[in-house]
PDB file of all heavy atoms in Angstrom:
ATOM      1  N   MET A  90     -32.279  -3.663-108.840  1.00 96.00           N
ATOM      2  CA  MET A  90     -31.163  -4.103-107.997  1.00 96.00           C
ATOM      3  C   MET A  90     -29.938  -4.382-108.897  1.00 96.00           C
ATOM      4  O   MET A  90     -29.557  -5.530-108.956  1.00 96.00           O
ATOM      5  CB  MET A  90     -31.631  -5.301-107.181  1.00 96.00           C
ATOM      6  CG  MET A  90     -32.888  -5.134-106.374  1.00 96.00           C
ATOM      7  SD  MET A  90     -32.550  -3.988-104.936  1.00 96.00           S
ATOM      8  CE  MET A  90     -34.244  -3.649-104.473  1.00 96.00           C
ATOM      9  N   ASN A 121     -33.062   4.705-102.913  1.00 97.00           N
ATOM     10  CA  ASN A 121     -31.669   4.875-102.513  1.00 97.00           C
ATOM     11  C   ASN A 121     -30.878   3.525-102.748  1.00 97.00           C
ATOM     12  O   ASN A 121     -31.431   2.478-102.490  1.00 97.00           O
ATOM     13  CB  ASN A 121     -31.641   5.188-100.938  1.00 97.00           C
ATOM     14  CG  ASN A 121     -31.773   6.636-100.705  1.00 97.00           C
ATOM     15  OD1 ASN A 121     -32.330   7.364-101.483  1.00 97.00           O
ATOM     16  ND2 ASN A 121     -31.255   7.107 -99.568  1.00 97.00           N
ATOM     17  N   HIS A 122     -29.651   3.706-103.148  1.00 98.00           N
ATOM     18  CA  HIS A 122     -28.673   2.517-103.235  1.00 98.00           C
ATOM     19  C   HIS A 122     -27.316   2.973-102.962  1.00 98.00           C
ATOM     20  O   HIS A 122     -26.969   4.157-102.754  1.00 98.00           O
ATOM     21  CB  HIS A 122     -28.695   2.048-104.750  1.00 98.00           C
ATOM     22  CG  HIS A 122     -30.003   1.383-105.142  1.00 98.00           C
ATOM     23  ND1 HIS A 122     -30.405   0.241-104.560  1.00 98.00           N
ATOM     24  CD2 HIS A 122     -30.852   1.760-106.143  1.00 98.00           C
ATOM     25  CE1 HIS A 122     -31.622  -0.107-105.263  1.00 98.00           C
ATOM     26  NE2 HIS A 122     -31.869   0.796-106.148  1.00 98.00           N
ATOM     27  N   SER A 123     -26.441   2.000-102.849  1.00 98.00           N
ATOM     28  CA  SER A 123     -25.003   2.236-102.522  1.00 98.00           C
ATOM     29  C   SER A 123     -24.230   1.025-103.051  1.00 98.00           C
ATOM     30  O   SER A 123     -24.726   0.114-103.621  1.00 98.00           O
ATOM     31  CB  SER A 123     -24.777   2.376-101.099  1.00 98.00           C
ATOM     32  OG  SER A 123     -25.106   1.182-100.287  1.00 98.00           O
ATOM     33  N   CYS A 179     -25.080  -3.890-102.450  1.00 98.00           N
ATOM     34  CA  CYS A 179     -25.747  -2.603-102.021  1.00 98.00           C
ATOM     35  C   CYS A 179     -25.909  -2.708-100.446  1.00 98.00           C
ATOM     36  O   CYS A 179     -26.370  -3.786-100.001  1.00 98.00           O
ATOM     37  CB  CYS A 179     -27.050  -2.385-102.727  1.00 98.00           C
ATOM     38  SG  CYS A 179     -27.979  -0.886-102.003  1.00 98.00           S
ATOM     39  N   VAL A 181     -27.903  -1.104 -98.495  1.00 98.00           N
ATOM     40  CA  VAL A 181     -29.306  -0.843 -97.993  1.00 98.00           C
ATOM     41  C   VAL A 181     -29.968  -2.127 -97.634  1.00 98.00           C
ATOM     42  O   VAL A 181     -29.993  -3.045 -98.416  1.00 98.00           O
ATOM     43  CB  VAL A 181     -30.171  -0.050 -99.096  1.00 98.00           C
ATOM     44  CG1 VAL A 181     -31.608   0.102 -98.601  1.00 98.00           C
ATOM     45  CG2 VAL A 181     -29.496   1.357 -99.402  1.00 98.00           C
ATOM     46  N   HIS A 184     -31.515  -5.115 -99.986  1.00 98.00           N
ATOM     47  CA  HIS A 184     -31.207  -5.063-101.406  1.00 98.00           C
ATOM     48  C   HIS A 184     -30.299  -6.146-101.846  1.00 98.00           C
ATOM     49  O   HIS A 184     -30.528  -6.717-102.948  1.00 98.00           O
ATOM     50  CB  HIS A 184     -30.624  -3.742-101.732  1.00 98.00           C
ATOM     51  CG  HIS A 184     -31.634  -2.566-101.675  1.00 98.00           C
ATOM     52  ND1 HIS A 184     -31.481  -1.302-102.198  1.00 98.00           N
ATOM     53  CD2 HIS A 184     -32.877  -2.510-101.177  1.00 98.00           C
ATOM     54  CE1 HIS A 184     -32.457  -0.577-102.097  1.00 98.00           C
ATOM     55  NE2 HIS A 184     -33.414  -1.357-101.392  1.00 98.00           N
ATOM     56  N   MET A 189     -29.007  -7.599-105.346  1.00 98.00           N
ATOM     57  CA  MET A 189     -28.147  -6.544-105.698  1.00 98.00           C
ATOM     58  C   MET A 189     -26.747  -6.887-105.263  1.00 98.00           C
ATOM     59  O   MET A 189     -26.212  -6.201-104.293  1.00 98.00           O
ATOM     60  CB  MET A 189     -28.693  -5.203-105.010  1.00 98.00           C
ATOM     61  CG  MET A 189     -28.064  -3.935-105.740  1.00 98.00           C
ATOM     62  SD  MET A 189     -29.028  -2.484-105.307  1.00 98.00           S
ATOM     63  CE  MET A 189     -28.071  -1.269-106.193  1.00 98.00           C
TER      64      MET A 189
HETATM   65 CU1   CU B 301     -29.768  -0.907-103.241  1.00 50.61          CU
END
Side-chain angles (χ1 to χ4, degrees):
M90 303 291 166
N121 276 23
H122 291 297
S123 65
C179 176
V181 176
H184 287 197
M189 201 162 177

